[in-house]
Amino acid sequence: MRRSLPFELFRYAMIALALALTLIPILWMASMAFKPIAEWSASGADLTWWPKAPTLDNFRYIFGEQTTALIATLDRTATKPILASLLAAVFGTLIAMSAGTAAAYGLSRFGSGQNLPLALTQLRLFPPMAVMIPVMIMWAFLGLIDSWWGLALIYGIVTLPFAFWLMKTFFDEMPKEIEEAALVEGCSRFRVFMKITLPMMRAPLASSAMFVFILNWSDYLIGLLLTTKEWVTIPVYMASLSSSMTGQLYGAKAALGLIAAIPPVILGIAIQKHLVRGLTFGALKQ
């Protein structure tokens, strides 16, 4: 049935509105990142969408180069926070996906541990601060405070329920007959899992890993509570970008925000051929 012209116009108007709401903050951040201090510290009628005199000073500043006398020298540059976020997010994602995939496969195929899904979900039901207080005590006792491996471990634990639930849904949608045929031919269960099941789950694994990575990459609370100085993450470091002379360093924060957006974008581009298939895995059945 052909849709009417008013309906089509309304649909395109809603799409345009959704795009505007999504893209305007990104465009504003990109514009702010290339503005000199005189422009991003302006107010009222002096504010402009696009920089009048584009500059890379904000990027130079967060990496330690003094570019203007109006901004005090940074206590630390953005290099180590970027490294800390990368290490913690990547290894936290590996931990969550490895444990979550194994648990999801076991529960999906063998049906044991019926209370396991609820037990894993309970980790997400508690208020974050209630969970982090005992975690801080344990991490201090184990010497994991202010270390990237301590962050990676807690990231893997916290995002494990997401990885488990996502992968369990995908395993439930995968036909068991393929694995059973391989078992009949003499393959062990471990070999079936490694050689048949996991290769068939590349798309779901890619989409789930991207989701978990973004959760770890964008975390603020855990990084704030479990780091002090040496291994602070990008969100924690960004919150500290301020000056007694100019207040919040919006230009520097925007520059760091653009840099922080690069890894998720690169990851999305790298796995895009698996992403759509992974997100729609099992949606259509013959």
Side-chain angles (χ1 to χ4, degrees), residues 68-252:
T68 173
L70 296 177
I71 306 179
T73 304
L74 287 171
D75 294 333
R76 55 181 180 268
T77 65
T79 303
K80 200 163 185 178
I82 294 173
L83 178 62
S85 288
L86 278 173
L87 290 173
V90 169
F91 283 93
T93 301
L94 289 176
I95 292 172
M97 290 303 301
S98 300
T101 300
Y105 180 77
L107 189 63
S108 176
R109 290 296 182 263
F110 304 109
S112 58
Q114 296 300 321
N115 295 324
L116 180 60
L118 179 60
L120 288 174
T121 307
Q122 287 177 348
L123 181 63
R124 305 299 305 179
L125 298 180
F126 289 99
M129 283 304 301
V131 176
M132 287 309 300
I133 291 173
V135 168
M136 291 174 63
I137 298 173
M138 289 188 293
W139 258 234
F141 176 77
L142 296 172
L144 298 176
I145 295 291
D146 202 17
S147 62
W148 69 263
W149 53 89
L151 279 178
L153 181 59
I154 191 61
Y155 282 167
I157 295 172
V158 169
T159 54
L160 174 60
F162 292 104
F164 169 80
W165 276 106
L166 288 170
M167 293 308 301
K168 184 179 182 302
T169 301
F170 293 134
F171 281 128
D172 288 343
E173 296 293 340
M174 180 180 174
K176 299 179 181 180
E177 289 77 11
I178 301 175
E179 296 176 341
E180 292 172 352
L183 290 172
V184 170
E185 292 295 328
C187 286
S188 64
R189 173 64 68 174
F190 180 76
R191 186 174 179 83
V192 168
F193 177 71
M194 296 299 296
K195 298 295 185 180
I196 297 176
T197 307
L198 285 185
M200 293 181 63
M201 299 293 288
R202 283 195 298 266
L205 280 169
S207 58
S208 301
M210 182 176 181
F211 178 69
V212 172
F213 175 83
I214 291 175
L215 289 177
N216 293 332
W217 180 256
S218 60
D219 167 74
Y220 174 74
L221 179 62
I222 296 176
L224 177 65
L225 296 177
L226 295 184
T227 59
T228 55
K229 184 178 179 180
E230 291 298 323
W231 291 98
V232 297
T233 57
I234 290 177
V236 178
Y237 177 77
M238 189 181 296
S240 69
L241 289 175
S242 62
S243 169
S244 59
M245 292 175 284
T246 59
Q248 296 294 323
L249 303 179
Y250 296 113

Side-chain angles (χ1 to χ4, degrees), residues 28 31-37 39-40 48-51 53 55 58:
W28 182 259
S31 172
M32 188 73 70
F34 294 97
K35 288 181 178 179
I37 184 173
E39 295 185 32
W40 57 255
T48 58
W49 265 102
W50 303 110
T55 179
N58 293 314

